[in-house]
Amino acid sequence: MVNIILLGPPGAGKGTQARRLVEERGMVQLSTGDMLREARTSGTDMGKRVAEVMDRGELVTDEIVIGLIEEKIAADTGQGGGFIFDGFPRTLPQADALGAMLTRMGQRLDAVIEMRVEDEALVSRVSGRFTCGNCGEVYHDETRPTKVSGTCDVCGSTDLRRRADDNAESLKQRLMEYYKKTSPLIGYYYAQGDLFTVDGLAEIEEVASKIAGVLAQSASS
Ligand code: ADP
Ligand code: ADP
Ligand code: ZN
């Protein structure tokens, strides 16, 4: 069992690779972005506050996301092939909280995989992104279109959605948040000896095989 973090700016390809790892290795994907998008549809006060913050491209408070992750980890039956933390942690306090949670469970972090993508490429990544509202498959207008226009390849649903925050203006703000609050995690995990970097600009298959290489390496160490 391996526990990994996928770290990278918005649009780096974290969700795309996480879904493959779930398929191929039975790992459990914990995406705070997905959890928060679910929370905002709940109509609660918390959901409404979260929606405003997300639409501005800012980070939701540490308290909320740490709480969401704790809940999901506690609900896990331990049958899975390890956790993929996708979009979490995004701040140093979140990283400390995750370390403490794993220690309490007698588990460890095996690898932090930084997906490096230049800023210029991110605009087209997020502006072409759409997902299946039914199964969550991630697509892109140019780099990963559906085989049949308007229909999900995986489940056949026609409920294909774009995110309200996937526009150039919000991306600018999200990138600023990334550099101010999340990028320090690269140094943090490097110093812990857990950091691996892959080229996120390569094709989806190529990135997947680089990640597989990292997993093989960290499982044998
Ligand atoms: P992307 O896939 O573009 O990186 P996510 O789906 O991970 O974006 O996150 C969407 C939004 O949800 C973020 O812009 C932020 O507002 C919020 N969010 C997600 N994860 C976290 C987190 N760990 N801490 C704080 N806010 C988060
Ligand atoms: P993140 O979860 O890091 O925000 P996603 O996995 O949602 O990123 O990917 C962002 C967009 O880029 C999606 O539209 C996805 O289909 C596309 N994409 C992901 N990985 C690649 C890649 N290696 N090459 C080209 N496009 C990609
Ligand atoms: Zn689908």
Side-chain angles (χ1 to χ4, degrees):
M1 220 173 70
V2 288
N3 296 314
I4 64 167
I5 294 173
L6 295 180
L7 184 64
K14 304 180 293 293
T16 298
Q17 297 298 329
R19 287 185 63 84
R20 290 185 59 121
L21 293 167
V22 169
E23 277 276 299
E24 289 164 12
R25 295 168 186 259
M27 294 178 78
V28 176
Q29 178 185 10
L30 297 178
S31 159
T32 42
D34 288 347
M35 293 173 205
L36 290 166
R37 275 184 287 280
E38 209 169 287
R40 61 184 286 173
T41 61
S42 67
T44 58
D45 278 350
M46 191 265 253
K48 280 177 207 148
R49 282 204 308 277
V50 161
E52 281 166 23
V53 174
M54 287 175 86
D55 289 345
R56 281 204 302 273
E58 291 167 13
L59 292 187
V60 171
T61 63
D62 289 336
E63 203 188 348
I64 290 179
V65 291
I66 291 167
L68 286 171
I69 285 281
E70 268 174 341
E71 252 173 57
K72 294 281 175 178
I73 287 186
D76 186 73
T77 54
Q79 306 293 333
F83 294 117
I84 308 159
F85 295 96
D86 163 13
F88 177 91
R90 263 172 152 98
T91 64
L92 292 167
Q94 290 178 25
D96 283 335
L98 176 62
M101 274 183 247
L102 289 173
T103 304
R104 273 204 303 276
M105 297 188 302
Q107 293 201 32
R108 66 177 199 131
L109 189 60
D110 295 280
V112 177
I113 303 174
E114 180 206 356
M115 302 180 62
R116 196 172 288 172
V117 173
E118 284 150 31
D119 296 349
E120 302 88 85
L122 297 174
V123 182
S124 53
R125 283 279 180 95
V126 301
S127 50
R129 167 161 58 189
F130 61 99
T131 55
C132 174
N134 181 48
C135 75
E137 191 65 13
V138 185
Y139 295 97
H140 190 278
D141 292 327
E142 274 109 46
T143 64
R144 197 188 171 326
T146 54
K147 292 198 181 82
V148 178
S149 172
T151 307
C152 176
D153 295 355
V154 177
C155 74
S157 169
T158 53
D159 177 16
L160 301 175
R161 304 176 181 179
R162 287 179 200 269
R163 279 167 44 180
D165 59 344
D166 273 348
N167 58 70
E169 192 50 43
S170 164
L171 177 68
K172 231 166 146 184
Q173 183 61 37
R174 282 150 69 200
L175 262 185
M176 191 66 83
E177 293 280 83
Y178 179 78
Y179 286 116
K180 279 201 293 204
K181 298 172 183 166
T182 308
S183 66
L185 298 184
I186 295 168
Y188 174 103
Y189 287 119
Y190 174 77
Q192 278 193 14
D194 294 328
L195 189 76
F196 297 83
T197 300
V198 303
D199 175 13
L201 277 174
E203 290 194 354
I204 293 174
E205 292 297 323
E206 176 73 21
V207 178
S209 81
K210 289 282 156 54
I211 291 176
V214 169
L215 292 183
Q217 199 182 326
S218 58
S220 65
S221 70

